[in-house]
Amino acid sequence: MVDQAYTAEQALTYEEDTEHTLPREEAEAWIAIIHAMGLPTEARIVDYGAGTGTLMAALKGAGYPVLSLEPSNHMVAEGLRLHPELGVNDFIVGTDMSPDPQGGGGFDLIVSRQVLCHLKRPDLVFKQLHQWLRPNGWVLLVDGFWTGFSADQKQVFPLAGIKDATLAAEALAAAGFDIARAEAFHELNQARAAVCPGGVSRYVIVGRKSLSALG
Ligand SMILES: C[S@@+](CC[C@H](N)C(=O)[O-])C[C@H]1O[C@@H](n2cnc3c(N)ncnc32)[C@H](O)[C@@H]1O
């Protein structure tokens, strides 16, 4: 189930929008939170809904190996053009309801940036992410408090237009995650404000695959 895979037209201008670009200052906030998880250097990390691979490029630059899942082949093609350090093998085109992106279900961490607002059934996606993780594996989800979604869109995409992180955190908990953090992503918002003033605030949800959960 791919809810809103980006079109060729959206891909072409994607990184020109300041809400999409990922400045170094934002990357540092992501890296700090991942570093605090104490993952091994050979950690297996997935970027879910990676788009053009901006986050993957930043994490790879910091030494973290990342595999990106992205439903839009247009976004992947644009990512390969914009980020020469990324290769075709860094992406899997298709994503979300495939049985397992790389076999084994043993990923250490799944990150996702600005994708939750595009999901029609976040409950199903969260269950899928849960299956892909090793026991005690982490999920790190970041999205914005967007104001541009219409009432009709908010009916279809339950996490579009949310005003705090509660609903997303509850859906993640229902999928079997222990919630470690769910709030405005203060350090990232501060970092972005310094370089992209006037932008939309982001929230962060950090969850851990509960050992007691089924699945
Ligand atoms: C706003 S972009 C974010 C891209 C990237 N994560 C970033 O931070 O630049 C949303 C992305 O989610 C993808 N997408 C849409 N529906 C999806 C789904 N059900 N599962 C995974 N990705 C999805 C779109 O194709 C698009 O690339």
Side-chain angles (χ1 to χ4, degrees):
M1 178 178 52
V2 171
D3 302 325
Q4 268 200 321
Y6 274 32
T7 62
E9 197 182 357
Q10 286 174 302
L12 210 56
T13 54
Y14 181 75
E15 290 200 26
E16 289 170 19
D17 185 332
T18 53
E19 295 294 9
H20 296 155
T21 52
L22 198 157
R24 179 182 51 79
E25 291 81 356
E26 176 180 347
E28 284 168 4
W30 279 90
I31 290 160
I33 205 166
I34 293 172
H35 186 69
M37 292 171 181
L39 298 174
T41 46
E42 70 281 8
R44 300 176 71 217
I45 302 176
V46 167
D47 182 1
Y48 183 81
T52 53
T54 47
L55 179 60
M56 171 167 62
L59 297 185
K60 283 186 83 168
Y64 290 105
V66 181
L67 175 71
S68 280
L69 307 186
E70 167 54 43
S72 164
N73 58 327
H74 306 294
M75 291 293 269
V76 171
E78 188 61 8
L80 292 172
R81 189 180 72 78
L82 292 173
H83 304 285
E85 71 274 34
L86 301 180
V88 73
N89 292 334
D90 289 324
F91 289 95
I92 291 180
V93 180
T95 83
D96 57 345
M97 289 298 139
S98 51
D100 188 319
Q102 237 186 12
F107 286 95
D108 297 286
L109 167 65
I110 298 172
V111 297
S112 188
R113 176 178 182 262
Q114 296 172 204
V115 177
L116 299 190
C117 62
H118 296 297
L119 302 178
K120 284 183 187 159
R121 291 293 305 270
D123 55 332
L124 298 183
V125 172
F126 292 165
K127 280 186 187 154
Q128 185 71 79
L129 302 187
H130 189 272
Q131 285 180 4
W132 288 343
L133 287 168
R134 65 161 164 83
N136 259 337
W138 299 86
V139 68
L140 169 54
L141 309 174
V142 175
D143 206 349
F145 295 127
W146 312 112
T147 54
F149 285 99
S150 68
D152 284 351
Q153 286 173 315
K154 286 192 244 181
Q155 289 287 323
V156 178
F157 305 110
L159 300 181
I162 57 177
K163 292 185 171 52
D164 65 50
T166 310
L167 193 63
E170 284 173 358
L172 198 66
F177 287 90
D178 294 328
I179 306 302
R181 183 175 175 187
E183 60 182 0
F185 197 169
H186 304 292
E187 56 274 39
L188 181 143
N189 289 333
Q190 267 185 358
R192 282 190 65 89
V195 285
C196 309
V200 169
S201 290
R202 270 65 167 167
Y203 63 88
V204 60
I205 302 177
V206 180
R208 202 151 193 200
K209 179 169 176 167
S210 167
L211 284 177
S212 59
L214 296 175

